[in-house]
């Protein structure tokens, strides 16, 4: 009787070990209790890059004084391609490949590499000479085109808009519905393009809590996060394809055999 039970006990132990191993691959920040968090101190500020679209407004106590700096687009294109009039929207500014924008009245400004606050300070100083000494301009800059892409083994692949100009890789994955059970958590691929247009690849391990101190923990504009499928998903895919081919082959053979039998009768 004991000899008969031994294979079942052995199988149960193997399955238990496999489930423990699987849980270790799924849980995030597994060593969080032992990680030195001092390296993660500091607030993140996004930097302006070429091809960013900036929304810029200048406000003063006298609206007429700041009006020349706040251009609006009064005409929009209709569905038939014709121009239609409307109340207008605020003019946005595309950062060119050299990192410049053309701002009303003051002209060309180099803003690449600046944070939002630094850009606001620059524009404030540039517009001040055109205003009365009693005017204290308030400049507001927003990155209107900040977005990241999350794809691969996630529940809802999508392009994620970043309205706060700050998003961690964990937040981006949460926006995409988190990883599926088949996603590799220890080998997430980040594709990044710098201000000079050079692309780079970075591998991130979500199982390791040290990722919080990584320079790639916070995502930049136009980052692409790709979650690779694990071996289980790859094997299942292969099995599915093989099964389909075999079923097709069996169906053809069966049809031919039936035809031959009917002819011989």
């Amino acid at each position: 009787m004991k000899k008969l039970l031994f294979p079942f006990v052995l199988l149960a132990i193997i399955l238990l070990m496999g489930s423990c191993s699987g849980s270790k691959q799924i849980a995030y920040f597994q060593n969080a209790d032992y990680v030195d968090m001092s390296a993660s101190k500091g607030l993140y500020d996004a930097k302006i890059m070429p091809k960013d679209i900036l929304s810029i407004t200048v406000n003063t106590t006298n609206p007429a004084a700041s009006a020349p700096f706040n251009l609006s687009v009064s005409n929009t294109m209709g569905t038939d391609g014709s121009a239609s009039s409307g109340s207008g929207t605020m003019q946005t500014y595309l950062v060119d490949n050299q990192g410049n924008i053309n701002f009303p009245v003051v002209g060309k400004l180099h803003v690449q590499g600046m944070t939002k606050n630094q850009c606001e300070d620059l524009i404030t100083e540039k517009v001040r000479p055109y205003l009365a000494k009693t005017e204290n301009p308030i400049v507001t800059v927003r990155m209107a085109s900040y977005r990241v892409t999350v794809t691969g083994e996630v529940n809802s692949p999508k392009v994620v808009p970043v309205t706060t100009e700050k998003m961690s890789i964990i937040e981006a994955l949460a926006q995409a519905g988190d990883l599926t059970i088949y996603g590799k958590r220890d080998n997430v691929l980040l594709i990044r393009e710098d201000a000079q247009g050079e692309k780079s690849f970075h591998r991130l391990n979500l199982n390791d809590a040290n990722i919080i101190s990584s320079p790639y923990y916070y995502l930049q504009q136009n980052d692409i996060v790709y979650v690779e499928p694990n071996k289980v998903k790859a094997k299942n895919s292969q099995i599915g394809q093989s099964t389909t081919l075999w079923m097709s082959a069996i169906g053809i053979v069966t049809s031919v055999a039936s035809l031959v039998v009917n002819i011989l009768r």
Side-chain angles (χ1 to χ4, degrees), residues 25-38:
Q25 294 176 352
I26 293 173
Y28 297 162
F29 314 127
Q30 294 175 20
N31 55 336
D33 295 332
Y34 310 100
V35 171
D36 181 10
M37 300 298 293
S38 59

Side-chain angles (χ1 to χ4, degrees), residues 55-67:
S55 172
I56 303 173
T57 56
V58 179
N59 292 300
T60 57
T61 53
N62 178 13
S66 59

